[in-house]
Amino acid sequence: MTPPVSEVVASLRQRAPKRSAPGRSWHGLVVVGSHVGLTSRQLAALQERARSGDADLGEFRDIELDVERLLDADSRESYLAEKSAEVRAALADAHVILATSRTLIKTDSKDESLAIARSVSDAVVAVVREARAARAAWVVAKGGITSHEVAANGLGIRRATVAGQSYPGQISMFTATNAPADVLGVPYVVFPGNVGGPDALADVVARIITAQAAAPAAQENRS
């Protein structure tokens, strides 16, 4: 039987390595890179619930990475610096949804299409890496490849302990045991692209926000 998310989060916090640094943000980061149709519907549902003032979600900021801008070699670096700063600033006041624009750009050449996908993935990772300084309270990564790249290359996670499922299906949560100090102890949700119903992403995010607020470590930090 899958334990409640609150128990999973509490377990992660209790087992977090002691050298994880203090001063973490209260706000989390949702990273969406997958372009499959289901992911786009789930992203739209999360955005709509956040805009409607869903009490289980709280305040969110939407930050989009325009794929066409990412593929412009002349402005790519300055654009990434701008978006990284935007994510860092937003996390001080709200949860953040960082998503690539939903138009899938590809060509008739398989190699060129793969190169485009890699370039976009590298851009997402670069923004997450730079946004690490904001010390997000938790991270949800949507998309199989996105989840791996964000964990390994964005957050620098080398080893982790799986706490359990954060939602029915193949949606797991773990915490880093070998990673930079500012990442240790952070709940990380691996959410594949073609998993769950239309509201699954919003439900996962709502559950982790609620569980994070109730976790013993959160109560200690408030005192």
Side-chain angles (χ1 to χ4, degrees):
M1 181 177 178
T2 302
V5 175
S6 58
E7 292 182 14
V8 174
V9 172
S11 173
L12 289 179
R13 288 304 187 193
Q14 290 165 2
R15 289 182 290 169
K18 298 303 181 184
R19 63 189 180 91
S20 57
R24 186 161 304 287
S25 168
W26 285 107
H27 305 110
L29 176 64
V30 181
V31 184
V32 182
S34 168
H35 281 85
V36 299
L38 177 58
T39 289
S40 294
R41 293 192 294 275
Q42 290 171 337
L43 172 61
L46 171 60
Q47 292 169 325
E48 177 57 32
R49 279 175 59 174
R51 282 193 294 265
S52 71
D54 189 321
D56 291 332
L57 292 173
E59 184 177 355
F60 267 85
R61 302 278 177 80
D62 278 311
I63 298 178
E64 183 179 85
L65 291 178
D66 187 323
V67 173
E68 290 188 356
R69 294 282 303 277
L70 296 177
L71 299 178
D72 184 342
D74 293 334
S75 62
R76 177 183 171 95
E77 292 307 315
S78 61
Y79 181 65
L80 287 177
E82 171 193 328
K83 289 299 178 179
S84 298
E86 191 176 344
V87 172
R88 288 196 301 270
L91 280 168
D93 302 310
H95 304 297
V96 172
I97 300 170
L98 173 67
T100 54
S101 54
R102 295 293 86 194
T103 300
L104 179 61
I105 297 178
K106 60 182 180 179
T107 71
D108 292 334
S109 166
K110 182 178 179 180
D111 289 341
E112 288 181 1
S113 293
L114 286 173
I116 290 171
R118 168 51 62 186
S119 179
V120 173
S121 177
D122 288 347
V124 172
V125 165
V127 172
V128 171
R129 186 185 302 120
E130 290 301 313
R132 238 178 53 200
R135 305 180 59 74
W138 47 266
V139 178
V140 174
K142 188 72 170 76
I145 294 174
T146 299
S147 296
H148 173 270
E149 293 297 307
V150 166
N153 300 316
L155 300 178
I157 297 173
R158 294 293 173 261
R159 188 182 298 274
T161 298
V162 178
Q165 288 184 327
S166 60
Y167 196 79
Q170 298 175 338
I171 305 174
S172 61
M173 182 187 291
F174 64 74
T175 186
T177 56
N178 183 350
D182 55 3
V183 175
L184 292 170
V186 177
Y188 185 85
V189 175
V190 177
F191 198 139
N194 262 322
V195 171
D199 291 315
L201 179 59
D203 289 343
V204 166
V205 172
R207 288 183 180 193
I208 196 171
I209 289 172
T210 300
Q212 185 82 359
Q219 300 302 325
E220 291 171 8
N221 288 338
R222 283 179 178 166
S223 60

